[in-house]
Amino acid sequence: MPIYQCYCPRGLLTITAKAEVAGEITTIHCQATGAPEAFVNVLFHEISAGNCFVAREPSDHSYLFGHIRHGRDLQMSRPGVSGDSRSWEDLGYGTCQQVPRRAS
């Protein structure tokens, strides 16, 4: 089952915003893979100030990790993750670093 994990600064997203992001991720994943919506899991993790650093400096970046099942190649996963990070930015939640991962 696909699991998407969104890491963002504490307080950036309301429950409504999280639902909107989860909906976008679900739509993009299902369009890219043909999987049913019921298989898509989206988790949110809030990062407290001072717990994220980039180049040794505190950062307020957001990150999206996509973990899909073994057997899906990287070419299939890439459109979903790229679309997810674009949606994150289009929804106005700032820059999102995308980190595609596959199950091993």
Side-chain angles (χ1 to χ4, degrees):
M1 90 184 108
I3 300 172
Y4 290 89
Q5 297 191 62
C6 305
Y7 290 81
C8 61
R10 183 170 306 283
L12 177 67
L13 302 176
T14 64
I15 292 173
T16 302
K18 290 175 184 177
E20 186 176 21
V21 170
E24 288 290 320
I25 289 171
T26 300
T27 297
I28 291 165
H29 179 87
C30 292
Q31 287 175 348
T33 66
E37 288 189 358
F39 289 3
V40 182
N41 295 268
V42 181
L43 307 174
F44 292 89
H45 306 279
E46 293 188 330
I47 306 169
S48 298
N51 286 315
C52 180
F53 287 76
V54 175
R56 302 179 189 210
E57 298 295 324
S59 174
D60 62 356
H61 286 178
S62 295
Y63 299 89
L64 175 60
F65 295 86
H67 187 80
I68 62 172
R69 73 171 169 80
H70 182 71
R72 297 272 193 206
D73 63 19
L74 191 56
Q75 291 305 102
M76 178 170 270
S77 68
R78 191 166 283 138
V81 173
S82 296
D84 293 336
S85 66
R86 278 194 312 274
S87 291
W88 181 275
E89 293 167 9
D90 292 345
L91 291 169
Y93 303 122
T95 301
C96 182
Q97 306 295 318
Q98 55 180 308
V99 185
R101 290 185 6 202
R102 286 190 312 163
S104 48

